[in-house]
Amino acid sequence: MRPVVGILGTIHNESLREQYHCSLDLYREVIHRFEPDLICGEVHPDSWQKYLNNKHEQGYWGEPASEYWELIFPYCEEHGVEFVPIDWFELDVWNDFDPFVPFPEEKRQELEKLDDEWFQRQMDTWSYGNIPFNSAEFDQVTKQKYEWMYEVNPTAVNFRWIVRNQIMIERAKNAIKANPQRKILCVVGADHNYLFHEGLKSEQILLQYPL
């Protein structure tokens, strides 16, 4: 029997979650319905270790997004679900790879405005599918957004997006291989959905996305 693996894309910002009808209650319902034995989450291994050392320490650079503190970590502890951190970044140079930093002020403002427009196009897809921002429509716009950004600054996007996702997906694959009899849910920011789907669909698993 092939492992069952699901992908759930989340929105990190609470006000946006409320605005676009993807509350933590909805995520909780989706997770509970999926019944995972293990959750791979967009959390850096160092941040996960910090959490294990002190579950009240927050506000540090590189900490997990709010849905992990408020939902995912408590859910795992309550239901006996193993959590595996799969994120990757290098904080000491992260800001140096901002894709718009190398440009003069006027050009940078122009690019930031275009970036805001891409973001709104993503948000405009919220009504597609059963879970906002977990749909082919959202993934198509998101893929186009990062292709545009790659044209603007390929070096930055390679570091911040392409390599990061390659490592995240490989860590998820390692967790899947190490737990072939367990039902696994990958919980990542919704922008990552299309790359996780592309990266996992050829694996010997039963992939469920959208959920």
Side-chain angles (χ1 to χ4, degrees):
M1 182 179 293
R2 292 183 292 173
V4 177
V5 179
I7 301 170
L8 172 62
T10 64
I11 296 297
H12 297 324
N13 182 281
E14 175 62 22
S15 63
L16 290 176
R17 288 197 291 259
E18 293 301 323
Q19 180 180 351
Y20 293 106
H21 308 282
C22 49
S23 67
L24 293 182
D25 286 339
L26 173 61
Y27 294 156
R28 182 181 292 107
E29 179 183 328
V30 172
I31 294 169
H32 198 65
R33 188 167 63 242
F34 185 80
E35 295 185 311
D37 302 306
L38 184 151
I39 291 178
C40 293
E42 187 186 344
V43 175
H44 195 285
D46 290 348
S47 300
W48 174 239
Q49 190 58 53
K50 277 192 174 185
Y51 174 79
L52 294 178
N53 292 340
N54 183 352
K55 296 181 180 181
H56 302 289
E57 182 185 1
Q58 295 187 39
Y60 54 85
W61 177 222
E63 74 174 348
S66 61
E67 64 266 27
Y68 291 94
W69 294 98
E70 298 173 25
L71 171 61
I72 306 298
F73 295 162
Y75 184 93
C76 288
E77 290 164 7
E78 179 183 352
H79 295 276
V81 175
E82 183 180 352
F83 183 84
V84 174
I86 62 171
D87 203 356
W88 176 86
F89 45 75
E90 296 291 343
L91 289 178
D92 59 328
V93 292
W94 185 260
N95 289 334
D96 299 317
F97 284 85
D98 183 316
F100 306 142
V101 159
F103 296 94
E105 179 65 24
E106 186 175 344
K107 179 64 174 178
R108 184 162 66 248
Q109 290 180 0
E110 175 189 332
L111 292 169
E112 288 172 348
K113 183 175 182 295
L114 289 171
D115 190 41
D116 289 341
E117 291 173 2
W118 275 110
F119 178 76
Q120 190 55 53
R121 286 179 214 168
Q122 290 178 288
M123 296 299 99
D124 288 344
T125 69
W126 74 270
S127 62
Y128 291 95
N130 296 323
I131 308 166
F133 314 115
N134 286 249
S135 67
E137 290 80 4
F138 175 80
D139 290 349
Q140 181 179 13
V141 174
T142 303
K143 185 175 183 179
Q144 291 170 348
K145 169 187 169 180
Y146 284 99
E147 287 172 349
W148 164 76
M149 198 172 290
Y150 185 83
E151 292 177 1
V152 171
N153 189 333
T155 300
V157 174
N158 185 61
F159 172 81
R160 276 194 170 195
W161 191 244
I162 297 173
V163 171
R164 181 184 175 204
N165 277 279
Q166 286 173 335
I167 293 173
M168 290 174 68
I169 293 166
E170 200 61 33
R171 285 176 169 166
K173 288 180 181 179
N174 288 341
I176 294 166
K177 291 172 185 174
N179 298 275
Q181 306 301 320
R182 305 175 79 183
K183 199 172 185 183
I184 296 174
L185 181 62
C186 297
V187 181
V188 292
D191 276 23
H192 299 269
N193 288 354
Y194 77 95
L195 285 170
F196 266 70
H197 184 245
E198 291 175 359
L200 294 176
K201 66 183 181 181
S202 61
E203 295 294 302
Q204 294 301 306
I205 61 175
L206 294 173
L207 184 61
Q208 296 184 11
Y209 173 77
L211 294 175

